[in-house]
Amino acid sequence: MYDSILFPTDGSEPAGSVLEYAVDVASEHGATLHVLSVADASREDVGRAGEEAMDAPRLAAQEIVDDAASRAREGGVSVVSAVREGDPSAAIVEYGDASGVELVVMPTHGRHGLKRFLLGSVTERVINTADVPVVAVNPDRERPLRYPPANVLVPTDGSAGAERALSEAIAVTRATGATLHLLHVVETGRLGPDARAVLDEAALTERADEIVAGAVEAARAESLDAVESAVEFGVPSKEIRRYSEANAIDLAVLGTQGETDFSRYVMGGVSAKIVRTSPVPVMWVR
Protein backbone atom coordinates (compact mmCIF):
# COMPACT_ATOMS: atom_id res chain seq x y z
CA MET A 1 0.00 0.00 0.00
CA TYR A 2 2.78 2.40 0.96
CA ASP A 3 6.02 1.89 -0.96
CA SER A 4 7.87 4.93 0.37
CA ILE A 5 7.57 6.42 3.88
CA LEU A 6 9.23 9.54 5.28
CA PHE A 7 10.42 9.87 8.88
CA PRO A 8 11.75 13.36 9.71
CA THR A 9 13.89 13.53 12.85
CA ASP A 10 15.58 16.28 14.84
CA GLY A 11 17.48 13.87 17.05
CA SER A 12 15.33 14.62 20.07
CA GLU A 13 14.07 12.00 22.50
CA PRO A 14 10.45 12.37 21.25
CA ALA A 15 11.55 11.72 17.67
CA GLY A 16 13.65 8.75 18.74
CA SER A 17 10.71 7.18 20.53
CA VAL A 18 8.61 7.32 17.34
CA LEU A 19 11.30 5.85 15.07
CA GLU A 20 10.48 2.26 16.01
CA TYR A 21 6.85 2.85 15.05
CA ALA A 22 7.90 4.25 11.66
CA VAL A 23 10.05 1.17 11.12
CA ASP A 24 7.08 -1.07 11.98
CA VAL A 25 4.90 0.74 9.42
CA ALA A 26 7.57 0.43 6.74
CA SER A 27 8.15 -3.24 7.56
CA GLU A 28 4.44 -4.10 7.38
CA HIS A 29 4.09 -2.56 3.92
CA GLY A 30 7.49 -3.57 2.58
CA ALA A 31 8.27 0.11 2.12
CA THR A 32 11.50 2.05 1.89
CA LEU A 33 11.93 4.33 4.90
CA HIS A 34 13.37 7.76 4.14
CA VAL A 35 15.08 9.21 7.21
CA LEU A 36 15.47 12.98 6.93
CA SER A 37 17.09 15.56 9.17
CA VAL A 38 16.91 19.27 8.42
CA ALA A 39 19.75 21.63 9.31
CA ASP A 40 17.84 24.65 10.55
CA ALA A 41 20.21 27.59 10.19
CA SER A 42 17.61 29.91 11.74
CA ARG A 43 18.14 28.48 15.21
CA GLU A 44 19.59 30.89 17.75
CA ASP A 45 22.47 28.59 18.70
CA VAL A 46 23.94 28.75 15.19
CA GLY A 47 23.77 32.50 14.73
CA ARG A 48 27.48 32.91 15.36
CA ALA A 49 30.01 34.16 12.80
CA GLY A 50 32.57 31.93 11.14
CA GLU A 51 32.63 29.10 8.64
CA GLU A 52 32.83 26.46 11.35
CA ALA A 53 29.68 27.77 13.01
CA MET A 54 27.90 27.82 9.65
CA ASP A 55 28.76 24.15 9.08
CA ALA A 56 27.68 23.09 12.57
CA PRO A 57 23.94 22.64 11.81
CA ARG A 58 24.58 20.40 8.80
CA LEU A 59 27.18 18.32 10.63
CA ALA A 60 24.78 17.88 13.54
CA ALA A 61 21.95 16.94 11.17
CA GLN A 62 24.18 14.40 9.42
CA GLU A 63 25.04 12.79 12.74
CA ILE A 64 21.36 12.66 13.68
CA VAL A 65 20.28 11.08 10.41
CA ASP A 66 23.15 8.56 10.42
CA ASP A 67 22.20 7.35 13.88
CA ALA A 68 18.48 7.07 13.04
CA ALA A 69 19.19 5.34 9.73
CA SER A 70 21.42 2.81 11.47
CA ARG A 71 18.71 2.01 13.99
CA ALA A 72 16.12 1.69 11.21
CA ARG A 73 18.29 -0.74 9.25
CA GLU A 74 18.55 -2.89 12.36
CA GLY A 75 14.78 -3.22 12.06
CA GLY A 76 15.24 -4.93 8.70
CA VAL A 77 13.84 -2.23 6.39
CA SER A 78 15.35 -0.56 3.35
CA VAL A 79 16.56 2.91 4.29
CA VAL A 80 17.42 6.09 2.40
CA SER A 81 18.97 8.86 4.48
CA ALA A 82 19.16 12.54 3.63
CA VAL A 83 20.06 15.93 5.08
CA ARG A 84 18.51 19.17 3.87
CA GLU A 85 18.89 22.79 4.91
CA GLY A 86 16.32 25.49 5.52
CA ASP A 87 12.97 25.81 7.22
CA PRO A 88 12.17 22.36 8.66
CA SER A 89 8.51 22.08 7.67
CA ALA A 90 9.08 23.37 4.14
CA ALA A 91 12.12 21.14 3.69
CA ILE A 92 10.18 18.08 4.86
CA VAL A 93 7.32 18.71 2.43
CA GLU A 94 9.67 19.54 -0.45
CA TYR A 95 11.73 16.41 0.15
CA GLY A 96 8.58 14.30 0.30
CA ASP A 97 7.33 15.71 -2.99
CA ALA A 98 10.67 15.25 -4.74
CA SER A 99 11.15 11.70 -3.43
CA GLY A 100 7.62 10.48 -4.11
CA VAL A 101 6.91 9.46 -0.52
CA GLU A 102 3.36 8.28 0.13
CA LEU A 103 3.19 8.69 3.90
CA VAL A 104 4.88 10.82 6.56
CA VAL A 105 5.31 9.55 10.13
CA MET A 106 6.47 12.07 12.74
CA PRO A 107 6.06 13.02 16.41
CA THR A 108 3.65 15.77 17.44
CA HIS A 109 6.53 17.69 18.97
CA GLY A 110 10.29 17.46 19.08
CA ARG A 111 13.29 19.44 20.16
CA HIS A 112 11.32 22.46 21.27
CA GLY A 113 9.15 20.39 23.59
CA LEU A 114 5.70 20.94 24.99
CA LYS A 115 5.89 24.74 25.02
CA ARG A 116 5.49 24.69 21.23
CA PHE A 117 3.05 21.79 21.27
CA LEU A 118 1.56 22.04 17.79
CA LEU A 119 1.07 25.80 17.94
CA GLY A 120 3.27 26.97 15.08
CA SER A 121 5.13 23.67 15.20
CA VAL A 122 6.79 21.78 12.39
CA THR A 123 4.24 18.97 12.63
CA GLU A 124 1.28 21.32 12.28
CA ARG A 125 2.76 22.94 9.19
CA VAL A 126 3.52 19.58 7.59
CA ILE A 127 -0.03 18.38 8.26
CA ASN A 128 -1.39 21.54 6.66
CA THR A 129 0.80 21.47 3.55
CA ALA A 130 1.75 17.88 2.70
CA ASP A 131 -0.12 16.27 -0.18
CA VAL A 132 0.18 12.82 1.42
CA PRO A 133 -1.23 11.51 4.71
CA VAL A 134 0.69 12.44 7.85
CA VAL A 135 0.69 10.19 10.92
CA ALA A 136 1.23 12.30 14.04
CA VAL A 137 2.41 10.28 17.03
CA ASN A 138 2.30 11.66 20.56
CA PRO A 139 5.63 10.75 22.20
CA ASP A 140 4.04 11.24 25.64
CA ARG A 141 1.48 8.51 25.11
CA GLU A 142 0.64 6.04 27.88
CA ARG A 143 -0.33 3.14 25.62
CA PRO A 144 2.24 1.18 23.61
CA LEU A 145 2.25 1.72 19.86
CA ARG A 146 0.99 -1.06 17.61
CA TYR A 147 1.39 -1.51 13.88
CA PRO A 148 -0.13 -3.26 12.03
CA PRO A 149 -3.24 -2.08 13.84
CA ALA A 150 -5.96 -4.41 15.02
CA ASN A 151 -8.53 -1.60 15.22
CA VAL A 152 -8.74 1.56 13.09
CA LEU A 153 -11.10 4.41 13.97
CA VAL A 154 -12.64 6.96 11.61
CA PRO A 155 -14.60 9.73 13.35
CA THR A 156 -16.93 10.93 10.62
CA ASP A 157 -19.10 14.02 10.26
CA GLY A 158 -20.19 13.37 6.69
CA SER A 159 -17.92 16.11 5.28
CA ALA A 160 -15.69 15.81 2.23
CA GLY A 161 -12.67 15.66 4.51
CA ALA A 162 -14.18 12.78 6.45
CA GLU A 163 -14.89 10.94 3.20
CA ARG A 164 -11.25 11.20 2.18
CA ALA A 165 -10.21 9.97 5.61
CA LEU A 166 -12.60 7.05 5.30
CA SER A 167 -11.17 6.10 1.91
CA GLU A 168 -7.64 6.05 3.33
CA ALA A 169 -8.75 4.11 6.40
CA ILE A 170 -10.47 1.49 4.24
CA ALA A 171 -7.24 0.99 2.33
CA VAL A 172 -5.28 0.61 5.58
CA THR A 173 -7.71 -1.88 7.07
CA ARG A 174 -7.75 -3.93 3.88
CA ALA A 175 -3.96 -4.02 3.81
CA THR A 176 -3.56 -4.92 7.48
CA GLY A 177 -6.67 -6.98 8.23
CA ALA A 178 -7.81 -4.55 10.94
CA THR A 179 -11.36 -3.96 12.11
CA LEU A 180 -12.76 -0.61 10.95
CA HIS A 181 -14.63 1.47 13.54
CA LEU A 182 -16.91 4.29 12.39
CA LEU A 183 -17.95 6.90 14.94
CA HIS A 184 -20.15 9.97 14.76
CA VAL A 185 -20.34 12.32 17.73
CA VAL A 186 -23.34 14.60 18.08
CA GLU A 187 -21.83 17.68 19.67
CA THR A 188 -23.87 18.64 22.73
CA GLY A 189 -21.09 19.44 25.19
CA ARG A 190 -21.26 23.21 24.72
CA LEU A 191 -24.95 23.22 25.60
CA GLY A 192 -24.60 21.58 29.00
CA PRO A 193 -25.83 18.27 30.48
CA ASP A 194 -29.48 18.89 29.51
CA ALA A 195 -28.72 19.51 25.84
CA ARG A 196 -30.41 16.35 24.61
CA ALA A 197 -33.63 17.42 26.30
CA VAL A 198 -33.45 20.91 24.79
CA LEU A 199 -32.54 19.79 21.28
CA ASP A 200 -34.62 17.64 19.00
CA GLU A 201 -32.95 14.38 19.94
CA ALA A 202 -34.89 12.39 17.36
CA ALA A 203 -33.72 14.65 14.53
CA LEU A 204 -30.13 14.61 15.79
CA THR A 205 -30.10 10.85 16.08
CA GLU A 206 -31.66 10.40 12.64
CA ARG A 207 -29.01 12.60 11.02
CA ALA A 208 -26.24 10.84 12.94
CA ASP A 209 -27.55 7.45 11.88
CA GLU A 210 -27.62 8.58 8.24
CA ILE A 211 -23.98 9.70 8.40
CA VAL A 212 -22.82 6.46 9.98
CA ALA A 213 -24.93 4.34 7.64
CA GLY A 214 -23.38 6.06 4.64
CA ALA A 215 -19.89 5.36 5.95
CA VAL A 216 -20.76 1.71 6.65
CA GLU A 217 -22.16 1.36 3.12
CA ALA A 218 -18.93 2.77 1.66
CA ALA A 219 -16.89 0.28 3.69
CA ARG A 220 -19.10 -2.66 2.69
CA ALA A 221 -18.79 -1.64 -0.95
CA GLU A 222 -15.05 -2.26 -0.59
CA SER A 223 -15.75 -5.78 0.71
CA LEU A 224 -14.88 -4.99 4.32
CA ASP A 225 -16.72 -7.30 6.69
CA ALA A 226 -15.13 -6.34 10.01
CA VAL A 227 -16.90 -3.03 10.54
CA GLU A 228 -18.19 -1.56 13.80
CA SER A 229 -20.20 1.64 14.11
CA ALA A 230 -21.47 3.89 16.89
CA VAL A 231 -23.15 7.22 17.60
CA GLU A 232 -22.25 9.15 20.74
CA PHE A 233 -23.41 12.44 22.28
CA GLY A 234 -21.06 14.91 23.94
CA VAL A 235 -17.81 16.77 23.28
CA PRO A 236 -16.27 15.26 20.12
CA SER A 237 -12.65 15.21 21.27
CA LYS A 238 -13.57 13.61 24.59
CA GLU A 239 -15.89 11.05 23.03
CA ILE A 240 -13.31 10.10 20.39
CA ARG A 241 -10.71 9.59 23.09
CA ARG A 242 -13.13 7.61 25.25
CA TYR A 243 -14.11 5.41 22.32
CA SER A 244 -10.46 4.86 21.42
CA GLU A 245 -9.61 3.70 24.91
CA ALA A 246 -12.71 1.54 25.31
CA ASN A 247 -12.25 -0.24 21.98
CA ALA A 248 -8.46 -0.70 21.90
CA ILE A 249 -8.07 1.57 18.87
CA ASP A 250 -4.53 1.53 17.45
CA LEU A 251 -4.88 4.23 14.78
CA ALA A 252 -7.34 7.06 14.17
CA VAL A 253 -7.79 8.55 10.70
CA LEU A 254 -9.21 12.04 10.22
CA GLY A 255 -9.67 14.48 7.37
CA THR A 256 -8.36 18.01 7.73
CA GLN A 257 -11.30 19.69 6.02
CA GLY A 258 -14.91 19.98 7.12
CA GLU A 259 -15.97 20.07 10.74
CA THR A 260 -12.61 18.59 11.74
CA ASP A 261 -10.61 21.14 9.75
CA PHE A 262 -7.18 21.77 11.25
CA SER A 263 -7.62 25.44 10.35
CA ARG A 264 -9.93 25.63 13.37
CA TYR A 265 -6.93 24.97 15.59
CA VAL A 266 -6.53 28.53 16.81
CA MET A 267 -10.21 28.54 17.79
CA GLY A 268 -9.87 25.37 19.81
CA GLY A 269 -11.09 23.12 17.02
CA VAL A 270 -11.81 19.44 17.35
CA SER A 271 -8.67 18.45 15.48
CA ALA A 272 -6.25 20.17 17.82
CA LYS A 273 -7.94 18.72 20.88
CA ILE A 274 -7.76 15.24 19.40
CA VAL A 275 -4.06 15.54 18.67
CA ARG A 276 -3.36 16.95 22.12
CA THR A 277 -5.17 14.15 23.93
CA SER A 278 -5.16 11.19 21.54
CA PRO A 279 -3.85 8.01 23.17
CA VAL A 280 -3.09 6.61 19.70
CA PRO A 281 -1.40 7.82 16.50
CA VAL A 282 -3.58 10.00 14.30
CA MET A 283 -3.36 9.90 10.51
CA TRP A 284 -4.33 13.21 8.93
CA VAL A 285 -5.59 13.15 5.34
CA ARG A 286 -5.64 16.56 3.65
Side-chain angles (χ1 to χ4, degrees):
M1 176 181 176
Y2 301 116
D3 295 323
S4 185
I5 297 171
L6 174 59
F7 175 72
T9 177
D10 62 3
S12 63
E13 183 178 345
S17 71
V18 177
L19 174 58
E20 185 176 345
Y21 181 76
V23 170
D24 287 344
V25 178
S27 178
E28 172 66 17
H29 296 289
T32 296
L33 183 65
H34 291 249
V35 179
L36 171 69
S37 187
V38 180
D40 184 2
S42 67
R43 284 167 42 197
E44 294 178 1
D45 58 348
V46 297
R48 307 182 303 276
E51 185 175 344
E52 183 178 344
M54 294 299 292
D55 288 340
R58 187 173 185 87
L59 292 174
Q62 188 65 59
E63 183 177 346
I64 288 168
V65 81
D66 287 346
D67 178 67
S70 177
R71 291 175 54 193
R73 290 189 180 98
E74 291 175 359
V77 299
S78 175
V79 178
V80 173
S81 61
V83 171
R84 294 292 184 269
E85 297 179 358
D87 174 74
S89 58
I92 290 168
V93 174
E94 288 169 5
Y95 178 88
D97 290 343
S99 303
V101 301
E102 298 164 310
L103 182 72
V104 180
V105 178
M106 60 192 303
T108 54
H109 57 276
R111 186 180 299 280
H112 298 286
L114 290 173
K115 290 184 179 179
R116 291 186 60 190
F117 193 95
L118 282 181
L119 183 57
S121 73
V122 173
T123 302
E124 177 194 352
R125 295 189 188 108
V126 173
I127 289 172
N128 276 318
T129 56
D131 288 331
V132 299
V134 178
V135 179
V137 185
N138 185 353
D140 300 320
R141 64 198 176 274
E142 296 180 359
R143 290 177 51 190
L145 298 172
R146 175 176 178 173
Y147 203 95
N151 294 284
V152 175
L153 171 64
V154 180
T156 179
D157 57 12
S159 67
E163 289 178 1
R164 285 189 289 273
L166 175 58
S167 178
E168 192 73 19
I170 288 173
V172 170
T173 55
R174 290 184 66 182
T176 61
T179 294
L180 179 64
H181 294 252
L182 303 169
L183 172 68
H184 178 75
V185 180
V186 179
E187 186 171 5
T188 60
R190 290 179 298 180
L191 301 177
D194 299 323
R196 293 175 68 173
V198 174
L199 299 172
D200 186 344
E201 183 173 347
L204 289 173
T205 302
E206 181 179 1
R207 174 57 180 156
D209 288 342
E210 289 176 356
I211 290 173
V212 171
V216 171
E217 183 178 356
R220 300 292 190 199
E222 296 296 329
S223 302
L224 288 186
D225 296 322
V227 180
E228 303 286 342
S229 62
V231 173
E232 302 290 350
F233 289 75
V235 178
S237 59
K238 291 182 179 179
E239 291 302 321
I240 291 169
R241 179 185 176 94
R242 186 196 63 76
Y243 186 94
S244 295
E245 293 175 336
N247 293 275
I249 298 300
D250 301 303
L251 176 69
V253 184
L254 284 88
T256 60
Q257 293 182 10
E259 292 303 312
T260 53
D261 192 340
F262 210 98
S263 64
R264 294 180 59 199
Y265 172 74
V266 294
M267 297 179 284
V270 173
S271 297
K273 293 177 183 177
I274 292 171
V275 176
R276 285 176 174 178
T277 62
S278 176
V280 301
V282 180
M283 178 186 288
W284 298 96
V285 182
R286 189 169 73 89

